[in-house]
Amino acid sequence: MKAAGDGPWLDDAAGRLVRPFTVSDGRTRPTVALDLLSQVRATGATPLGYLGPEHAQALALCRAPVPVAEVAAHLRLPVAVTKVLLADLVECGALTDRLPAFHHNPTDRALLEAVLDGLRRQL
């Protein structure tokens, strides 16, 4: 039985019906350098050529800027596979990517304090 909104690729009893490596055509490395926190956003350009259902799902998730890790979570795919899919979309002009502002200094005190404040608000 299919889970609502998951389409033909997920099954409640069996799980994912298509192996992740088939989603990325066996590729394990993205052609564009993407960080887990890189922001990706749809450009509005129509991608040329065939895109698999996961490409279309990823593109739909990126109407507003969203981190790569969040896209992977929504797609229920490993991050490495998600990065390959997103890199395909960046290369064809359907997505733009932007590294996080703190990518050169991930232990920036202001960043860590902002994360801590956000966590405290959630609790």
Side-chain angles (χ1 to χ4, degrees):
M1 176 178 231
K2 294 176 204 163
D6 288 328
W9 307 112
L10 291 176
D11 181 83
D12 288 338
R16 180 166 281 284
L17 299 174
V18 175
R19 294 283 185 215
F21 64 84
T22 60
V23 171
S24 64
D25 292 328
R27 296 171 293 150
T28 59
R29 296 187 190 271
T31 54
V32 175
L34 295 170
D35 187 272
L36 280 175
L37 299 177
S38 293
Q39 299 283 313
V40 289
R41 182 177 191 167
T43 62
T46 303
L48 299 175
Y50 173 76
L51 292 179
E54 287 82 4
H55 285 94
Q57 289 173 340
L59 192 55
L61 291 169
C62 298
R63 290 185 194 120
V66 60
V68 169
E70 190 172 329
V71 174
H74 284 290
L75 293 178
R76 298 180 186 172
L77 287 172
V79 173
V81 173
T82 302
K83 285 181 178 182
V84 170
L85 296 176
L86 294 175
D88 291 346
L89 292 168
V90 168
E91 283 191 331
C92 74
L95 285 182
T96 59
D97 66 308
R98 191 183 62 162
L99 287 171
F102 57 86
H103 77 279
H104 293 297
N105 187 9
T107 57
D108 178 53
R109 183 177 178 92
L111 169 68
L112 296 174
E113 287 176 355
V115 169
L116 184 58
D117 289 342
L119 289 171
R120 285 183 179 146
R121 282 190 298 252
Q122 296 294 321
L123 299 176

